[in-house]
Amino acid sequence: MNKSMANMTSVMSALHVPHLTPLETTPRHFRHRQTPTGIRTIDTWIPGPGDRALFASIHLPSDAAVRGAVVICPPLAKEHISAYRGLRQLAQELAEHGFLALRFDYAGQGDSSGCQDDPLAVAQWQASVAAAVAYARRAGIESIAVTGLRAGALIAAAAVDTLGDLRAMVLWDPVISGRSYVRELTSLYRVSVDDDPHHDDCTSIVGGVLDSAAVKDLSGLDLSTFDPGSSTKVLAAIRPEFAASPRTVRMLERSGAERMFVERQNQFVSPSSFVLSVPTHDIKRISSWVSRQFGEDKTFVDPEITSAAHVSTTDDGEEIWETLERRSTGSLFAISTASRTTTSHAATAVFHSTANEHRIGPARLWVESARTLAAHGIRSVRFDRMGTGDSGTVLTDENTPIVSPEARRNVLDLIDTLDVPPSRRMHIGMCSGAWMGAYVASQRGARSVVLLNIVNWSINNRRPPVKKAHVDAMESDVANRIFVVARTIRNAGRRAQRYVPYPVWLGLGFLGLVNAPESMLRTLTRRGTQTAVSLAPEDEAWFEANRGRQGVTRLSSSKNPPHVLFSGSGDHNLFHRSSRERVGRLIVASALDAFGDRRRAVSKHDKEGIGA
């Protein structure tokens, strides 16, 4: 028995099923959401290893009569964020075939409780799979399949001996060697982010951080030795280019897996830009294969639903709870975080995610920041705008705009559902999420905003820019030629902008015709909103090119000047661990400055910049 399995056994022995008493009783009809296809989606917490609450989503036919259950095991870190909507579509497809499909986050990952840098993380992930399967069985379902994507396939296979009898198992674009996967993760971090300057027992990866003990345990997993037993049918949905790999061949032979080729996986799980796509065709093929492994007999199920759970405890014993919600006319999915003693009228921080990220933010920063703020008596709401995460139905071959008119309407509706006045609200966001936070503050007011690595400085410019990534995704020569011409004209305009008198430049910014930082900052200042801006080097260069420093200097003598902080290092996406740590301190400092003890708010070190 290797160390990972020993850790797994010790965790499983501690696995129990506590009753998670809801912090607020939520009517069942509020928690259930029916899609146009007649599929119900239910947001819930399920009991995980030890006392950890795992976030989960259940998809099932509207009559609750099912042929079986399929537990879906997600990838890790950045791949989980990229593949999130695709896994939702898989769950929708399985429910259409008559299954209860269960998606969940591993302990310490996503929205689940626990720490991502837990030394026993790998054992906790395996125990989470077992907990999800056990939850499906308690709902009255005997016939169960497990589907794992990327590292999810490796983790599920490693936990197979603890899962009981399985009807089927799908290994979707599986990670076969844990050791090779770790090398891939760490190399990708060095190439796309930077070297990790930390000298501790943790390893940075794109989208997260792992303890060195967890890295060792993950390296010890090997799917090529996987033996599911003769009663479990296995499908290996693999990329054609990996078919001849010796480890892949060995995995196929040992597991007796049926082989299916899948396409477009890079654009799905590891896109080179913020533009990603959902491979609907392959998802339908996988769900059809699973369906063929089950009979037609149905069982009525009534899964245990818990809308609120204890997710962490402060050093002084204060319990932090999170409540699953649906807010606004768009039924946006949201999670509210607060201490057990915090009221619904407490000061509230709203987190806005960027691009195709869902509510956990960059590398789980929003989750960790929300739980930290709760320890200071500040409630947080993090949510999915329409077309991301768990808001809205996943469309065929979906690709969602970053800032659509619908998203703006939905977020304004969401803010209107909060039972706190503008003076008790703050908004936190990165890139397009920062723009959305500034937009909401300009429309509804706010005590404070924290704008991280923002690039669109015009509140009135409500049409998202077309990037090269969008054009590449179109795969059209005509679109590419049009883009080249438009980019040439744009670049010429940028070269000429330095000759435009600043008052004219600012006026054009207010009209939304140019990217003048002062136009946004002055709007927020006039509304009495405390504004903190943090910029990575590439965003600082954009800020400077658009005369941002001149604008901040002009605002420095105002009653409520903005604080613009230049990090001097790090990356735009906040994948760099030092960047996230710096930003995490800024978030807490800004919240305390707005709502709490000013003496504990912003340190001299964190206020270095301009306008401070």
Side-chain angles (χ1 to χ4, degrees):
M1 180 181 295
N2 62 29
K3 181 178 178 181
S4 177
M5 183 57 69
N7 290 338
M8 169 66 176
T9 303
S10 65
V11 171
M12 286 303 299
S13 66
L15 179 61
H16 63 283
V17 186
H19 178 65
L20 301 177
T21 305
L23 183 61
E24 298 176 0
T25 301
T26 308
R28 187 173 284 260
H29 74 271
F30 183 72
R31 294 194 302 264
H32 292 196
R33 182 169 50 87
Q34 191 159 322
T35 68
T37 58
I39 301 303
R40 282 193 295 169
T41 297
I42 309 172
D43 314 311
T44 187
W45 298 99
I46 67 174
D51 292 328
R52 293 172 178 82
L54 306 182
F55 169 76
S57 289
I58 299 169
H59 306 256
L60 76 168
S62 56
D63 62 0
V66 303
R67 301 164 55 200
V70 183
V71 173
I72 300 174
C73 303
L76 296 174
K78 179 62 171 64
E79 289 187 340
H80 186 200
I81 293 174
S82 299
Y84 198 90
R85 294 286 282 185
L87 292 181
R88 272 201 61 207
Q89 188 171 81
L90 174 63
Q92 291 171 193
E93 286 289 328
L94 290 168
E96 289 273 11
H97 282 283
F99 294 99
L100 181 153
L102 176 65
R103 298 183 297 115
F104 71 99
D105 291 340
Y106 308 112
Q109 296 286 309
D111 292 298
S112 292
S113 60
C115 299
Q116 60 175 310
D117 57 352
D118 188 335
L120 298 178
V122 176
Q124 297 287 352
W125 301 337
Q126 294 175 48
S128 299
V129 178
V133 171
Y135 176 85
R137 287 204 168 98
R138 287 197 304 276
I141 305 172
E142 292 299 325
S143 297
I144 295 179
V146 172
T147 296
L149 174 62
R150 297 290 294 148
L154 183 66
I155 294 165
V160 70
D161 291 341
T162 69
L163 305 182
D165 292 334
L166 297 177
R167 178 66 64 90
M169 198 164 190
V170 178
L171 310 175
W172 182 6
D173 193 13
V175 170
I176 296 180
S177 167
R179 188 175 304 280
S180 297
Y181 183 58
V182 167
R183 286 199 297 267
E184 176 185 333
L185 291 176
T186 53
S187 298
L188 181 62
Y189 184 89
R190 287 194 298 270
V191 170
S192 61
V193 183
D194 201 353
D195 290 329
D196 190 348
H198 293 78
H199 301 286
D200 54 19
D201 289 330
C202 291
T203 297
S204 294
I205 60 176
V206 177
V209 61
L210 299 174
D211 187 88
S212 59
V215 170
K216 183 177 180 180
D217 289 343
L218 182 58
S219 298
L221 302 183
D222 191 344
L223 192 57
S224 66
T225 62
F226 173 53
D227 184 358
S230 59
S231 62
T232 302
K233 300 295 184 181
V234 180
L235 171 67
I238 60 177
R239 306 185 195 192
E241 60 266 31
F242 296 158
S245 162
R247 287 184 178 274
T248 301
V249 172
R250 191 157 58 246
M251 179 267 291
L252 292 171
E253 292 175 348
R254 187 172 180 85
S255 65
E258 183 178 339
R259 188 181 64 179
M260 175 189 294
F261 288 141
V262 290
E263 306 287 347
R264 296 168 51 199
Q265 287 301 117
N266 272 335
Q267 190 66 12
F268 176 43
V269 298
S270 54
S272 58
S273 71
F274 58 85
V275 175
L276 53 89
S277 62
V278 174
T280 301
H281 175 67
D282 287 333
I283 288 171
K284 287 181 177 293
R285 294 167 63 213
I286 290 171
S287 59
S288 294
W289 182 90
V290 172
S291 181
R292 293 195 297 270
Q293 313 311 312
F294 286 75
E296 295 299 324
D297 293 341
K298 294 184 177 181
T299 301
F300 287 94
V301 295
D302 185 21
E304 178 184 355
I305 305 302
T306 305
S307 62
H310 170 218
V311 294
S312 64
T313 303
T314 65
D315 292 339
D316 57 1
E318 182 80 3
E319 291 185 353
I320 306 302
W321 283 64
E322 291 192 335
T323 305
L324 310 179
E325 303 171 336
R326 290 280 168 179
R327 288 182 174 268
S328 90
T329 55
S331 190
L332 301 184
F333 179 74
I335 297 181
S336 178
T337 307
S339 70
R340 193 67 184 268
T341 58
T342 300
T343 69
S344 61
H345 303 289
T348 301
V350 180
F351 288 89
H352 302 260
S353 289
T354 187
N356 289 292
E357 289 178 352
H358 57 296
R359 61 206 166 262
I360 67 172
R364 208 172 180 244
L365 178 60
W366 291 174
V367 179
E368 295 167 354
S369 296
R371 294 171 186 175
T372 299
L373 291 180
H376 292 280
I378 299 170
R379 181 177 66 149
S380 294
V381 175
R382 56 186 193 273
F383 70 100
D384 296 335
R385 74 178 190 281
M386 190 59 66
T388 61
D390 286 292
S391 292
T393 301
V394 185
L395 304 177
T396 299
D397 297 322
E398 179 180 84
N399 181 265
T400 304
I402 293 179
V403 184
S404 67
E406 182 183 27
R408 294 194 296 275
R409 289 192 299 270
N410 286 153
V411 73
L412 290 177
D413 288 344
L414 179 142
I415 297 305
D416 291 341
T417 68
L418 300 178
D419 299 326
V420 290
S423 61
R424 302 289 289 165
R425 291 199 303 257
M426 73 179 296
H427 295 275
I428 302 158
M430 187 189 84
C431 193
S432 61
W435 182 90
M436 189 67 81
Y439 169 74
V440 174
S442 73
Q443 300 298 305
R444 295 292 190 266
R447 173 67 171 172
S448 174
V449 294
V450 178
L451 311 178
L452 308 172
N453 296 343
I454 186 169
V455 294
N456 186 355
W457 289 97
S458 175
I459 288 178
N460 288 322
N461 184 10
R462 302 176 185 179
R463 180 175 300 172
V466 176
K467 302 288 188 180
K468 185 64 166 64
H470 290 125
V471 178
D472 290 342
M474 296 178 191
E475 298 181 349
S476 167
D477 290 338
V478 174
N480 188 64
R481 286 195 292 270
I482 293 173
F483 176 79
V484 170
V485 173
R487 183 175 57 186
T488 301
I489 296 172
R490 180 201 64 190
N491 291 342
R494 287 180 179 175
R495 288 191 294 271
Q497 72 184 31
R498 71 175 71 112
Y499 303 109
V500 177
Y502 189 83
V504 176
W505 174 257
L506 180 59
L508 294 174
F510 278 112
L511 292 174
L513 300 177
V514 299
N515 227 343
E518 186 183 345
S519 64
M520 174 183 286
L521 297 176
R522 186 171 290 277
T523 298
L524 296 174
T525 296
R526 285 172 176 171
R527 294 223 52 165
T529 302
Q530 297 178 6
T531 304
V533 181
S534 177
L535 300 174
E538 59 187 295
D539 305 300
E540 176 187 347
W542 178 245
F543 176 82
E544 295 279 10
N546 285 280
R547 306 186 184 184
R549 185 177 294 272
Q550 185 174 352
V552 171
T553 300
R554 284 162 50 90
L555 292 170
S556 61
S557 59
S558 64
K559 183 179 179 180
N560 184 34
H563 297 288
V564 180
L565 314 175
F566 298 142
S567 64
S569 62
D571 65 311
H572 173 78
N573 296 308
L574 294 181
F575 289 148
H576 199 286
R577 183 155 45 125
S578 295
S579 298
R580 292 199 304 277
E581 291 172 350
R582 184 186 305 112
V583 164
R585 292 193 299 269
L586 175 62
I587 290 171
V588 175
S590 298
L592 292 177
D593 190 38
F595 307 125
D597 186 350
R598 291 177 179 269
R599 292 172 300 176
R600 299 171 59 190
V602 184
S603 70
K604 179 179 179 181
H605 173 75
D606 287 333
K607 286 189 66 173
E608 292 176 354
I610 62 174

